[in-house]
Amino acid sequence: MSYKAGSYDVIVIGAGHAGCEAGLSAARMGASTLMITINLDMVAFMPCNPSVGGPAKGIVVREIDALGGEMGKNIDKTHIQMRMLNTGKGPAVRALRAQADKFSYQHEMKKTLENQENLTLLQGMVERLIVEDGVCKGVVTQTGATYEAKTVVITTGTFLRGEIILGELKYSSGPNNQQPSVRLSEHLEELGFDLVRFKTGTPPRVHSDTIDYSKTEIQPGDDVPRAFSYETTKFITDQLPCWLTYTSEETHQIIDQNLHRSPMYSGMIKGTGPRYCPSIEDKVVRFSDKPRHQIFLEPEGRNTQEVYVQGLSTSLPEEVQHKILASIPGLEKVQLMRAGYAIEYDAIVPTQLWPTLETKKIANLYTAGQINGTSGYEEAAGQGMMAGINAGRRALGKEEVILSRSEAYIGVLIDDLVTKGTNEPYRLLTSRAEYRLLLRHDNADLRLTEKGYEIGLISEERYRQFLNKKQAVEDEKIRLASIIIKPTEKVQEIIKSVGGSELKDGIKGIDLLKRPEMLYHHIHQMIPAESEIDADVAEQVEIQVKYQGYIEKSLQQVEKLKKMENKKIPENIDYDAITGLATEARQKLKEVRPLSVAQASRISGVNPADVSILLVYIEQGKIARVSNQ
């Protein structure tokens, strides 16, 4: 028997990385929010690698923070190590990566949720949605409790009909032997959603005291204090190192000899795995010419001896995992604490979503995270934040928010999912962003803080500090453009020390900074500012001046794109009535139902000729519409 248990503006199903951001965003905007999760001890759990950030992903965490989200703040408070990656390359590919204390990360996030106004945390299993006339009105739990809501966000991760596979063993389970969500998955199919089966994997965990670290290479964190959040002022200085080792020829032989026992090759695994995070058996088969593969030994926290064997993701039988570990330098006598495994789960085909992450089939229902076919905590959190913002705004009667591809990696991620779909677990890469020079780690606040403030997730104080920084950058650029640096002995000495050619005449400070070898602090030595310049202001000045030409070129491309984005396609357009469209294009346009001509142009199967035909119809006002009859 069901009973009415409560009524809310927003209900979030799940409390992983997507669910946490969704719940916090909605609650912080003033929407009464209920978060229901299978197990409260698993809030913000890291079932796979204990880390946050990395190429593209680290920029997503900065974007979440710039909008007013929590992931960056949480990892800043709980990491054991932090490093800036790609420092030898251009600013477009630099990214921060932190090793997490996975247990502290969980506990800190749970505490944040528990203390958040307008947010209620509840342990329970949602089995079905309340849907009336194509509109989601709430949820029903396993115990028969009915909760009404104006909007619902599903963030179930890999729990939907989850199955763990380890060698010949296969059983129903969520990650880390948690209870799976079976009935909700079946209910989504009953509602008419197309689901796909995906697979992901995790490596073994081993006991730190049984590792011979003398045979590995130390990987320390950066000496410079680093942070994801623009609000972080306290920095963790006692960092723990990670360690690097490699597979051996013996490792590869063991894997080759046991491939027939791998669920991936025996046919037991049906789901599609992530291309960019393959299992060790997949790596050995696909890259048979490589004599060895990197293995990183990553501590799971300060108060545990468990070490995550990054790079050794596998679903081979447990006895084979013991042999593989013993064949790796430094792990010859290692004690296995948890075996690696694969997990198969249901995901929703993401082309069934609008760019707001609302489902096309059922109004007021949103999905975010791995249920949408992505991999990774950061991709999940970015989607969760946008789904929470949009579900909250819909519930409060406000206009929804869509980030464009030129505004944020989160915009690239969501647009890729809803426009192109994915036939494998989607991972965000810098190469997926055509405007990556604009979407940098260093300028996430300049891109998104204004938006976060308008939404209501950025405080007045933080917004004021942001405006001050923005002004300081402009003021310093104006100062550098107005001061002439003369070829004095001191100036020539500084230029010579960095391998530059000496000045013949005076030069504007801003023009000297454009030289590849010159850094901002060199210019500052020559013409010091009257007051102290913050490091992040100096960084911004240097990047904006040095890359001005490239940035302007990207901005021109963005302006062209905006014209296409502004060419809206009416919702009730009848693609069957448009003559000249290719059959595949017609089919894909009907399936995705793009909101603009720009989005239509990004659909795979829609070629430039189809876009031209579509443009002609819209511009000439000959829009073929579905008959009202």
Side-chain angles (χ1 to χ4, degrees), residues 81-149:
Q81 186 197 102
M82 205 172 274
R83 294 175 73 183
M84 182 67 81
L85 306 180
N86 300 326
T87 49
K89 297 179 181 177
V93 291
R94 283 175 210 156
L96 204 52
R97 185 179 189 268
Q99 285 299 132
D101 184 319
K102 66 187 283 184
F103 306 103
S104 294
Y105 186 93
Q106 272 184 273
H107 297 149
E108 190 62 37
M109 186 65 88
K110 184 165 181 266
K111 188 166 79 175
T112 301
L113 294 170
E114 289 170 342
N115 294 332
Q116 178 59 51
E117 198 182 341
N118 297 324
L119 186 63
T120 302
L121 260 183
L122 175 71
Q123 182 165 295
M125 170 87 78
V126 173
E127 291 206 324
R128 56 194 177 86
L129 307 171
I130 301 167
V131 180
E132 295 171 11
D133 300 323
V135 179
C136 190
K137 299 283 183 75
V139 304
V140 182
T141 70
Q142 194 177 39
T143 58
T146 298
Y147 295 91
E148 295 174 347

Side-chain angles (χ1 to χ4, degrees), residues 29 43 118 125 135 150 169 211 255 261 274 282 304 342 352 375 393 407 409 419 435 489 540 552 568 577 628:
M29 293 188 306
V43 167
N118 297 324
M125 170 87 78
V135 179
K150 293 173 184 171
L169 178 67
I211 297 171
I255 291 167
R261 300 183 69 191
D282 205 18
T304 178
Q352 297 170 102
S375 65
R393 286 177 76 84
E407 274 182 301
Y409 267 99
T419 305
Y435 306 112
E489 195 177 321
Q540 222 24 253
E552 282 175 1
K568 300 296 179 195
N628 292 326

